[in-house]
Amino acid sequence: MSVIIAVAALGGLTLLLAIMLIVANKKLFVNEDPRIDTVEDMLPHANCGACGFPGCRPFAEALVHNKALPGKCTVSSDEGRLAIANFLGVAMGAEEKRVARLACAGGTNVAINRAQYVGVKSCQAAALVSGGGKGCFWGCLGHGDCETVCDFDAITMNEHGLPVVDPSKCTACGDCVEVCPKDLFSLQPISRHLWVACKNLEHGEAILEDCQVGCTACGRCAMDAPGELITMKNNLPVINYAENHNTKVPIQRCPTGAIVWLEDNGTVTKGEASKKIIRKGSRSMGNS
């Protein structure tokens, strides 16, 4: 008899809880705008976060609820953004595309290693062993962590072991920024063509023994730049992008090509005074 009572009590409690859940579901149910699914389907599904939202679904919700404009998605094409704007009956808006930029040009043809690293092919692992062995402490180690972590195939390692970013594929997700142990990547608006491709903090030409394209802190770029566009800080030129930076004047007298001009497609232009690098193979220790 006690077993029957226990089973009945348990069954009654289960039924009561089920009824409570049904009532709560009806009372608390929120109707989701069906347009969210449609807008999400119109997005590129990159889930890169470049729009400022954690993924395409949250961004679609923000678009439908008028908390963002389609132009914030820099991965979509103009046609795709316009289609979303027309569907929602809103302005397309505009957001300048950002891309990952590398502050180093020290590939194996111009930079040397002072020690040979043997171990897991990883920049993060190599950096734990006396900084990675590269002559320039601040330089790229060339093991390709950035290439590995990029889900959009926007980074490839060139023949000199240096990462090359394809601006057309870069979504500014920031993964390369986080993975680089030398902090060489940053996300920059694509309109910033003037760029310092070096992070060396040493002063003088001694750095050229380790890297032929390193900044020697000569200051010529700062002297030639108009107004307050460039100042020298910690032996490196710092560009003030709040000034008019649409000028190639600062790169012209740079003797090493440490400050360059970057086109929208990633093409690098150096100044007239920059030493031409013709070596195709690796630069061994003691090889000028």
Side-chain angles (χ1 to χ4, degrees):
M1 189 66 179
S2 59
V3 174
I4 296 175
I5 294 174
V7 171
L10 184 60
L13 180 60
T14 302
L15 179 61
L16 177 61
L17 291 174
I19 293 173
M20 290 174 64
L21 287 174
I22 293 173
V23 172
N25 182 60
K26 290 185 175 294
K27 292 288 186 181
L28 301 177
F29 180 76
V30 178
N31 287 314
E32 187 174 67
D33 193 319
R35 293 180 300 168
I36 294 175
D37 289 333
T38 304
V39 173
E40 184 184 15
D41 289 339
M42 298 170 75
L43 290 170
H45 298 279
N47 293 311
C48 61
C51 60
F53 295 87
C56 289
R57 181 71 181 186
F59 182 50
E61 294 173 354
L63 289 172
V64 170
H65 295 144
N66 294 319
K67 294 181 179 179
L69 291 175
K72 287 190 71 67
C73 178
T74 58
V75 181
S76 290
S77 63
D78 288 338
E79 292 77 12
R81 289 186 286 267
L82 182 60
I84 295 174
N86 290 337
F87 174 72
L88 295 175
V90 299
M92 185 170 73
E95 190 82 7
E96 184 176 4
K97 180 178 175 62
R98 295 193 303 162
V99 294
R101 293 266 170 85
L102 179 72
C104 181
T108 56
N109 62 325
V110 293
I112 63 174
N113 289 329
R114 294 294 181 183
Q116 183 179 4
Y117 167 74
V118 178
V120 178
K121 186 175 172 58
S122 164
C123 297
Q124 292 190 338
L128 297 176
V129 185
S130 300
K134 194 160 189 173
C136 173
F137 175 80
W138 296 272
C140 173
L141 298 179
H143 296 297
D145 291 20
C146 51
E147 180 186 38
T148 301
V149 79
C150 182
D151 291 329
F152 305 97
D153 297 324
I155 298 178
T156 54
M157 303 299 293
N158 69 13
E159 67 272 26
H160 305 304
L162 201 67
V164 177
V165 179
D166 183 343
S168 67
K169 294 181 179 179
C170 181
T171 65
C173 67
D175 287 347
C176 57
V177 177
E178 295 180 8
V179 79
C180 179
K182 297 295 185 176
D183 196 29
L184 294 174
F185 280 101
S186 62
L187 303 180
Q188 302 288 334
I190 200 166
S191 63
R192 294 182 176 180
H193 300 294
L194 197 60
W195 182 246
V196 180
C198 184
K199 273 207 166 181
N200 165 55
L201 300 183
E202 294 184 21
H203 182 277
E205 296 186 357
I207 185 61
L208 301 182
E209 296 181 9
D210 292 318
C211 180
Q212 294 177 326
V213 294
C215 176
T216 62
C218 69
R220 295 173 190 173
C221 56
M223 288 185 283
D224 296 346
E228 302 296 324
L229 177 58
I230 298 178
T231 55
M232 298 299 296
K233 295 181 181 179
N234 297 322
N235 298 322
L236 266 180
V238 176
I239 302 171
N240 178 10
Y241 289 107
E243 297 280 322
N244 180 11
H245 50 87
N246 190 29
T247 172
K248 294 182 180 180
V249 170
I251 76 171
Q252 299 303 334
R253 289 203 302 143
C254 177
T256 64
I259 184 169
V260 299
W261 182 267
L262 297 177
E263 301 293 348
D264 287 350
N265 62 3
T267 301
V268 179
T269 300
K270 295 185 178 182
E272 296 176 355
S274 299
K275 181 181 178 181
K276 301 298 184 289
I277 304 298
I278 59 175
R279 183 182 295 106
K280 302 300 182 182
S282 298
R283 182 185 176 206
S284 59
M285 290 180 60
N287 187 2
S288 60

